[in-house]
Amino acid sequence: MPELPEVEHAARVARAAAVGRTITSVRVLHPAQRRGLPARVARSLIGDRVEAVERRGKSQRFRLASGRELRVHFRMTGDWVLLGPRESPPRAVRAIIALDDGTRLALHDPRALSVLSLGAPEPDEALGPEATDPALTPSRLAAALIRRRIPIKVALLDQSVVAGIGNIYASEALWRARIDPRVPANHLDGRQLRRLASGIRATMRIAMQRNERYYGRESEEGRFSVYDREGEKCRRCGAKVKRVVQAGRSTYYCGGCQGS
DNA sequence: CGCGACCTGCAT
DNA sequence: ATGCAGGTCGCG
């Protein structure tokens, strides 16, 4: 269930489990994941050693001793779970990577939308600066947004603008920066760009420190400032939180303090 | 640009 | 039964 904090947490789990270990078997259980990692390709992982597990944006890369890398993207509902030695995998487990110390790292993904692939390291894709990176400056942001007339919220979901922002944190960061999600991306003035750059970094940094997760609207813990709070009072100004749909996805914002 | 597709499970 | 979900891609 991955926004960036969850992917980061998952990558740590994978790193702790797999780095320095040799792969003893790989089973890909669901046809959707077999498309990226057919059985024979999966088999070629046997005997390879995991040198490092890296995260860039929401994608993970297992660097292998053979020089190849295993790429994993969780999409909507992926996660890593560790299986006990005798434990039979839960229904939603889509792939299992067994390691030479008996550990089994399993891709748990109810919707089976995760994407696996194996190959030569790919020259860095078109990803913007990490959402937590100090290199995410107002001018860098301005440069990425200058030609875009799409609403700023939609622009923030574009991973080539900033890597790692998802639907929840796009709304959250704009709330923190007091910016109306509907304004065209290239209409932000200098002050707003400054607030947005620092707002994104602060929002993501805090979320990652807390190892934040979305538990659904029921739970007290893990509720957000505006996301999934339609009709509730803004915790900053008391006005009502609104919901709109942009590019087919829910956006939440405060009608009071997120002036354009 | 918006939208469906990719998948499944959950709430209504 | 319908609609919705934290992501991304490819189509029109």
Side-chain angles (χ1 to χ4, degrees), chain A residues 225-239:
Chain A
S225 295
V226 285
Y227 185 83
D228 204 15
R229 281 188 179 274
E230 182 180 14
E232 296 179 38
K233 280 194 288 188
C234 172
R235 48 172 72 156
R236 187 165 53 206
C237 79

Side-chain angles (χ1 to χ4, degrees), chain A residues 38 45 48 55 59 77 94 99 106 108 141 189 221:
Chain A
L45 283 165
D48 215 336
R55 177 191 65 72
S59 75
T77 53
R94 309 306 184 189
L99 302 159
H108 185 273
L141 206 47
D189 64 28
E221 259 355 272

Side-chain angles (χ1 to χ4, degrees), chain A residues 214-247:
Chain A
Y214 179 54
Y215 295 108
R217 74 187 63 199
E218 304 305 320
S219 65
E220 281 292 317
E221 259 355 272
R223 304 240 21 222
F224 300 99
S225 295
V226 285
Y227 185 83
D228 204 15
R229 281 188 179 274
E230 182 180 14
E232 296 179 38
K233 280 194 288 188
C234 172
R235 48 172 72 156
R236 187 165 53 206
C237 79
K240 272 199 180 167
V241 173
K242 299 184 178 176
R243 171 181 177 273
V244 292
V245 174
Q246 299 181 292

Side-chain angles (χ1 to χ4, degrees), chain A residues 84-96:
Chain A
R86 307 238 135 225
E87 188 180 353
S88 66
R91 168 196 289 272
V93 164
R94 309 306 184 189
I96 302 173

Side-chain angles (χ1 to χ4, degrees), chain A residues 123-137:
Chain A
D124 244 343
E125 314 136 50
L127 285 180
E130 288 287 317
T132 48
D133 191 336
L136 177 59
T137 58

Side-chain angles (χ1 to χ4, degrees), chain A residues 14-15 38 48 52 57 65 78 82 90 92 114 140 149 159 169 173-175 179 181 199 211 215 231:
Chain A
R15 194 172 294 135
D48 215 336
L82 296 172
S114 287
R140 184 102 190 242
R149 304 189 222 189
Q159 303 295 296
Y169 292 109
L174 287 166
W175 178 82
I179 293 169
N211 196 6
Y215 295 108

